[in-house]
């Protein structure tokens, strides 16, 4: 199995910064794409940013220019640097990772972290 452990959430004033981290551990061959999603109260979970094992990134329009996703493949860890935070960024942020397993065949499965609260006050 795979465990995703997130850290770095908290309370910050508008205009401030936070850095989220998510480390994957367990019995897997490798990690493909990793990413961050968020869910605000009463809203659907949405993609914030994602990064492939090769470093290609994808961002939601609402965070482009403010958030930066990165990863350390050696540590199976993904980061989300959030700058110029706005009250509308307030949500529970979830880490997502696709783990690859090799047995008699090659397979993959996506996992979720437990979520970390980010609150931006105005």
């Amino acid at each position: 199995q795979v465990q995703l452990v997130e850290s770095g959430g908290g309370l910050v004033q508008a205009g401030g910064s936070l850095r989220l981290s998510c480390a994957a551990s367990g019995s897997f061959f490798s990690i493909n794409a990793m990413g961050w999603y968020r869910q605000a109260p009463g809203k659907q979970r949405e993609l914030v940013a994602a990064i492939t094992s090769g470093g290609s990134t994808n961002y939601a329009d609402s965070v482009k220019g403010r958030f930066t996703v990165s990863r350390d493949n050696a540590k199976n860890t993904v980061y989300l640097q959030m700058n110029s935070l706005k009250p509308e960024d307030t949500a529970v942020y979830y880490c997502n990772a696709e783990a690859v397993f090799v047995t008699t065949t090659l397979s993959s499965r996506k996992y979720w972290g437990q979520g970390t609260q980010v609150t931006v006050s105005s």
Side-chain angles (χ1 to χ4, degrees), residues 36-118:
W36 292 93
Y37 289 71
R38 67 186 180 188
Q39 188 166 20
K43 295 187 177 181
Q44 289 188 333
R45 190 172 297 188
E46 62 176 0
L47 174 69
V48 176
I51 183 168
T52 67
S53 57
S56 296
T57 58
N58 181 39
Y59 295 93
D61 288 342
S62 59
V63 307
K64 284 181 181 178
R66 300 187 298 122
F67 292 10
T68 302
V69 63
S70 61
R71 65 188 285 172
D72 183 334
N73 289 333
K75 296 180 179 180
N76 294 311
T77 299
V78 63
Y79 307 95
L80 185 67
Q81 178 66 43
M82 304 184 292
N83 299 328
S84 301
L85 282 160
K86 304 175 180 180
E88 50 263 44
D89 295 317
T90 296
V92 178
Y93 283 69
Y94 295 91
C95 174
N96 179 270
E98 182 181 29
V100 178
F101 304 93
V102 177
T103 54
T104 56
T105 61
L106 188 69
S107 63
S108 65
R109 178 181 172 184
K110 293 184 178 180
Y111 292 84
W112 291 95
Q114 79 282 1
T116 185
Q117 177 71 46
V118 171

